[in-house]
Amino acid sequence: MASLSLHLSRLARHHFHLSPLLFTPKHLSISFPRRRHTPAAFFPLCSSSSRRFSVSATTPASTESCSDGGGVISDEKYDVIVVGGGHAGCEAALASARLGAKTLLLTLNIDRIAWQPCNPAVGGPAKSQLVHEVDALGGEIGKVADRCYLQKRVLNTSRGPAVRALRAQTDKREYAMEMKKIVESTPNLSIREAMAIDILLGKNDNVEGVQTFFGMNFYAPSVVLTTGTFMSGKIWVGRTSMPAGRAGESASEGLTENLQCLGFETDRLKTGTPARVDIRTVDFTGLEPQPGDKEVHWFSFDPDVQIEREQMCCYLTRTTKITHQLIKENLHETPTYGGWVEAKGPRYCPSIEDKIVRFHDKESHQIFLEPEGRSVPELYVQGFSTGLPERLQLPLLRTLPGLENCSMLRPAYAVEYDFLPAYQCSRSLMTKKIDGLFFSGQINGTTGYEEAAAQGIISGINAARHSDGKPLIVLERESSYIGTLIDDLVTKDLREPYRMLTSRSEHRLLLRSDNADSRLTPLGREIGLIDDRRWKLYQDKQARILEEKKRLKTVRISGGDLAADITRVSGQPVRDSSTLESLLKKPHVQYEVFDKHGFGNEQLSRAEKECVEIDVKYEGFIMRQQIQLQQMARQQNIPLPEDLDYHAMITLSLEAREKLSKVRPQTIGQASRVGGVSPADITALLIIIETSRRKAQAQRRHEMLTSVMTETDRESSAPSPKTITL
């Protein structure tokens, strides 16, 4: 199957004079990994292209049962099967179905589709960029979060635009109901409650479907596994454990063993969730309120979901000396410090006991109290997850100011589960061992709803394209946070839960939340996930931004109240006949000062004004990073043949040979990010690749010359035609 690799994907708005348009075929890098069937020839992507799926897509309501004559019910044949109804599974199933693939979503519990078992929140640093990008491609997580928010805040407002992040506290039950409604009403998408335990393979080690616990076979040429924490899941409260994917829900058994038999490496990870307390038993009078922003920001670029609603307040409390003392005295009672759970937990979301041990010099830690819904009394105690026994959890909670008399509704617990190190996947998220099998979400070692959704939409797109014989989509790390996330997962041999951070992207000034649509919406349109209405909205927005930037370059002022205000805010004088653009580039000057003095554009929305301000104010930095990126990409995107024998490359270090043979990177850039591969190894690898290229070129020339000489000899040795004289 061809892999369609996207480089330098609209890293700034389309009106910058940057690299040529991404989607012109000559700028598409298409590699052909080892596959066991003939890849489809590349053709330009088109949202209106007719599909070639083997089974005509139907809505669930119109499905009919009929036999194909061989004893198999045709209803059980699909183009794509998605296993798991979490955040990765929902995005994968929706993307696949919307691309026209007849899709089946298998989930253990239909009533827990898109459930938020931990903090009911979406966004945060780097995570919000992922949500914006999923929305720009045509996904749902941002829209549902915008519809179901309890509170919204923009974080890091005092810092640059590259690290600003939107975070929404959502209504847990409303969020799940809204996503379930969308999934249930999507054409081409069927839902079935079942536990998948076996992957069905064809004669050529290609996936053919799945088998369930009760013996049902469902067939499809593409299968996406999004098992979350359910694969051999076990929850712990102190020393007591039980098989479960999360509290109150059974684990998925048998699939791990099946995958191991197929040759996949598996390992264990751990995460946890704090206790829930009754909001009616908390005294908020002495706590610090954390209200939402007065001006509400949005994850989705679709104005139809941008409807403001009443916000709820969160509160801040802190741990005390008594909290710390109680934890230190009972560390031996926790699964991790007691030694009966060795699975690695998330580094950037540690339990409260981890915080006390790792940061023993800190006298207290912040704890946020956040509501879980408008109509339920449950309060989420953020930053207070623990593995302590239940008998100690309520006394521990009551050491926190404001919670002295609280009631605990649900105990905290830790959960360990199986995952498959993602180096076993390519950047399309299809596994290297089995054609048509995709992994997404926590099965790849990530943590977080946003990371899961980002993987889900890519795997859903590629599963549909694979079943239709089309090239698979690969987002380069310089094109998006999604590309960075997937590149990290499949390149680095990660053994702890992976969380997206802004620091993980080398190009974060180019990969901001505000320009996610200009980077990825054209791709979503080309693939077929962006409809005509969204595309028109996008084009109109970009046109308004472009026209406004042109206006700022031409409108000039000399003196007056605006100049005086600019001087006061920036601390710099304003010259006569200065353009509005030059004024906006001054420090601390924001677009709103133009609105204040009547020089703004009333036709622009607040988000569009922010886009204009960022583009103008950071234009020099953006252009500089763009040039650096283009220079770097020429070498980073050099493809590596799949049949390279790294063990035979004696100029590479032993560790590099082992790691490269294990990961089998697709490009030089990916190889440079493999742990244990040094710059010297990359230099040696480049020399080997260039030497091989020259040898192959010389061989082709020799063969061509030999062919020409053979043809010449054949012609010279042929008998001359006889001349007949009349």
Side-chain angles (χ1 to χ4, degrees):
M1 175 60 64
S3 175
L4 189 152
S5 181
L6 302 172
H7 306 309
L8 303 172
S9 174
R10 280 184 169 84
L11 299 177
R13 266 166 265 282
H14 71 286
H15 47 268
F16 278 133
H17 297 292
L18 301 176
S19 57
L21 288 180
L22 169 66
F23 302 105
T24 304
K26 68 179 181 179
H27 294 289
L28 293 175
S29 170
I30 305 175
S31 57
F32 293 93
R34 173 179 54 82
R35 296 297 176 218
R36 298 177 177 84
H37 63 278
T38 305
F42 171 75
F43 51 89
L45 300 173
C46 179
S47 59
S48 61
S49 60
S50 61
R51 299 189 56 81
R52 298 184 288 101
F53 289 109
S54 58
V55 179
S56 59
T58 60
T59 62
S62 64
T63 301
E64 297 180 359
S65 296
C66 60
S67 173
D68 63 0
V72 178
I73 303 300
S74 62
D75 288 350
E76 315 309 331
K77 289 183 179 179
Y78 298 86
D79 299 310
V80 175
I81 296 173
V82 178
V83 178
H87 302 275
C90 286
E91 295 291 351
L94 289 170
S96 171
R98 288 168 177 172
L99 291 178
K102 185 180 180 185
T103 305
L104 173 66
L105 176 62
L106 296 178
T107 179
L108 290 173
N109 188 341
I110 291 178
D111 295 326
R112 283 293 182 264
I113 286 176
W115 194 246
Q116 295 173 304
C118 200
N119 192 355
V122 172
K127 291 172 173 283
S128 66
Q129 281 87 334
L130 289 174
V131 177
H132 286 295
E133 290 178 355
V134 171
D135 180 79
L137 285 170
E140 284 297 321
I141 184 174
K143 293 179 184 178
V144 178
D146 283 339
R147 290 191 186 104
C148 305
Y149 73 91
L150 299 174
Q151 183 198 84
K152 281 192 176 182
R153 299 182 70 186
V154 177
L155 310 178
N156 300 328
T157 53
S158 62
R159 302 175 64 186
V163 295
R164 292 173 196 159
L166 176 61
R167 183 182 184 275
Q169 191 73 20
T170 59
D171 187 313
K172 172 184 286 191
R173 287 157 183 79
E174 184 185 8
Y175 184 100
M177 289 174 60
E178 185 70 22
M179 187 68 84
K180 181 171 179 280
K181 188 192 310 178
I182 293 168
V183 171
E184 289 176 336
S185 62
T186 298
N188 306 320
L189 179 53
S190 302
I191 309 172
R192 187 76 162 255
E193 196 167 271
M195 180 192 296
I197 62 169
D198 199 354
I199 304 298
L200 305 178
L201 297 186
K203 295 179 180 179
N204 296 319
D205 286 345
N206 57 296
V207 75
E208 285 196 342
V210 300
Q211 185 179 72
T212 69
F213 182 83
F214 293 116
M216 280 294 297
N217 288 349
F218 297 97
Y219 297 94
S222 295
V223 172
V224 184
L225 296 186
T226 67
T227 53
T229 60
F230 283 82
M231 212 158 64
S232 302
K234 180 185 289 187
I235 63 173
W236 290 87
V237 179
R239 297 176 181 270
T240 306
S241 68
M242 65 181 295
R246 53 193 179 215
E249 297 185 62
S250 61
S252 173
E253 303 292 346
L255 191 55
T256 298
E257 292 75 13
N258 174 247
L259 291 169
Q260 288 172 340
C261 290
L262 295 178
F264 288 100
E265 179 191 356
T266 65
D267 205 343
R268 298 283 277 178
L269 290 177
K270 176 180 74 73
T271 187
T273 189
R276 303 329 192 251
V277 299
D278 191 328
I279 195 171
R280 298 166 295 189
T281 62
V282 176
D283 180 7
F284 294 103
T285 54
L287 304 183
E288 181 182 336
Q290 302 284 304
D293 293 341
K294 292 182 179 179
E295 286 191 292
V296 179
H297 288 71
W298 308 98
F299 288 113
S300 179
F301 296 98
D302 187 347
D304 282 4
V305 301
Q306 297 176 1
I307 301 173
E308 292 193 28
R309 57 197 331 213
E310 183 181 358
Q311 298 196 58
M312 298 181 69
C313 192
C314 300
Y315 291 86
L316 176 66
T317 186
R318 305 190 71 93
T319 59
T320 63
K321 289 183 178 180
I322 301 175
T323 311
H324 294 209
Q325 186 62 34
L326 184 58
I327 290 172
K328 290 176 181 177
E329 290 174 354
N330 292 280
L331 278 175
H332 62 284
E333 298 271 16
T334 65
T336 300
Y337 293 95
W340 51 89
V341 173
E342 296 182 357
K344 284 289 186 85
R347 178 187 301 266
Y348 300 101
C349 189
S351 64
I352 187 62
E353 50 263 27
D354 280 342
K355 292 179 186 178
I356 302 303
V357 171
R358 286 161 53 182
F359 308 105
H360 55 84
D361 55 327
K362 294 195 69 171
E363 294 184 357
S364 69
H365 296 274
Q366 289 184 336
I367 304 296
F368 291 90
L369 305 179
E370 301 171 329
E372 290 209 335
R374 296 181 185 276
S375 58
V376 295
E378 292 177 63
L379 198 64
Y380 182 89
V381 188
Q382 187 199 4
F384 212 66
S385 64
T386 181
L388 286 169
E390 187 172 355
R391 60 183 170 78
L392 295 174
Q393 290 188 25
L394 184 57
L396 186 65
L397 286 166
R398 289 180 172 176
T399 65
L400 302 177
L403 277 71
E404 294 89 349
N405 299 304
C406 73
S407 294
M408 185 172 70
L409 298 175
R410 303 176 192 264
Y413 64 88
V415 55
E416 59 170 335
Y417 54 94
D418 289 336
F419 84 107
L420 285 83
Y423 73 83
Q424 299 170 104
C425 292
S426 66
R427 291 181 297 164
S428 65
L429 293 180
M430 184 157 71
T431 62
K432 298 173 183 176
K433 290 181 181 295
I434 297 178
D435 199 33
L437 180 61
F438 298 80
F439 295 158
S440 276
Q442 286 183 280
I443 192 174
N444 280 337
T446 59
T447 178
Y449 314 135
E450 304 83 358
E451 289 87 344
Q455 296 171 71
I457 193 169
I458 297 300
S459 62
I461 290 169
N462 282 332
R465 293 176 68 84
H466 173 266
S467 65
D468 199 26
K470 292 181 179 178
L472 305 186
I473 298 298
V474 170
L475 294 181
E476 296 294 338
R477 66 183 296 119
E478 66 265 19
S479 73
S480 58
Y481 270 85
I482 298 177
T484 303
L485 163 69
I486 294 174
D487 184 77
D488 279 350
L489 291 177
V490 304
T491 301
K492 300 175 181 178
D493 193 8
L494 301 170
R495 299 293 165 162
E496 62 182 45
Y498 179 98
R499 178 177 180 172
M500 195 67 223
L501 306 169
T502 53
S503 59
R504 296 192 191 275
S505 174
E506 307 90 332
H507 319 293
R508 52 188 172 273
L509 182 57
L510 302 177
L511 309 181
R512 308 181 308 276
S513 292
D514 67 280
N515 72 353
D517 58 340
S518 62
R519 290 184 283 113
L520 293 176
T521 295
L523 172 60
R525 173 67 173 180
E526 295 284 339
I527 291 170
L529 290 178
I530 298 296
D531 60 20
D532 291 342
R533 184 187 65 85
R534 275 289 298 270
W535 183 242
K536 179 70 163 53
L537 289 170
Y538 166 78
Q539 289 181 311
D540 291 347
K541 174 187 174 182
Q542 298 304 316
R544 287 192 296 270
I545 291 173
L546 179 58
E547 287 302 315
E548 178 63 6
K549 290 170 68 177
K550 289 180 179 177
R551 186 184 75 87
L552 296 181
K553 288 178 181 289
T554 57
V555 176
R556 297 177 179 273
I557 67 163
S558 295
D561 293 342
L562 175 60
D565 210 357
I566 295 289
T567 299
R568 180 185 59 80
V569 171
S570 67
Q572 296 179 356
V574 176
R575 297 179 180 178
D576 286 343
S577 193
S578 294
T579 64
L580 294 181
E581 180 190 57
S582 66
L583 299 182
L584 192 55
K585 289 187 174 183
K586 291 182 179 293
H588 311 300
V589 175
Q590 297 178 322
Y591 190 98
E592 61 188 28
V593 75
F594 294 161
D595 290 332
K596 177 181 176 183
H597 293 279
F599 286 88
N601 186 339
E602 295 180 355
Q603 303 301 316
L604 298 183
S605 67
R606 183 194 61 210
E608 289 165 353
K609 291 174 182 178
E610 290 177 357
C611 290
V612 170
E613 179 182 324
I614 292 170
D615 280 351
V616 170
K617 192 175 288 291
Y618 294 91
E619 183 180 22
F621 297 102
I622 291 171
M623 293 297 292
R624 186 182 310 152
Q625 192 165 112
Q626 179 72 19
I627 292 169
Q628 293 172 347
L629 186 55
Q630 290 173 337
Q631 293 171 343
M632 180 186 70
R634 279 194 286 270
Q635 183 183 86
Q636 292 281 303
N637 294 322
I638 294 175
L640 294 174
E642 282 210 346
D643 58 354
L644 282 179
D645 184 1
Y646 293 105
H647 289 295
M649 299 178 185
I650 58 174
T651 53
L652 300 180
S653 68
L654 183 60
E655 183 179 10
R657 280 179 265 172
E658 292 175 352
K659 293 294 181 66
L660 291 172
S661 296
K662 184 177 184 180
V663 175
R664 304 212 65 82
Q666 295 171 296
T667 65
I668 283 289
Q670 191 183 357
S672 69
R673 295 184 290 275
V674 173
V677 178
S678 68
D681 292 319
I682 294 299
T683 301
L685 187 56
L686 282 169
I687 293 172
I688 292 169
I689 296 298
E690 179 62 18
T691 302
S692 298
R693 186 190 68 81
R694 292 183 180 182
K695 284 182 178 179
Q697 189 177 44
Q699 180 67 22
R700 286 195 299 271
R701 287 176 180 171
H702 176 72
E703 291 173 356
M704 187 180 299
L705 182 59
T706 302
S707 176
V708 170
M709 292 178 65
T710 302
E711 185 64 27
T712 302
D713 291 343
R714 186 180 300 115
E715 290 176 358
S716 62
S717 62
S720 301
K722 295 181 179 180
T723 302
I724 302 176
T725 304
L726 298 176

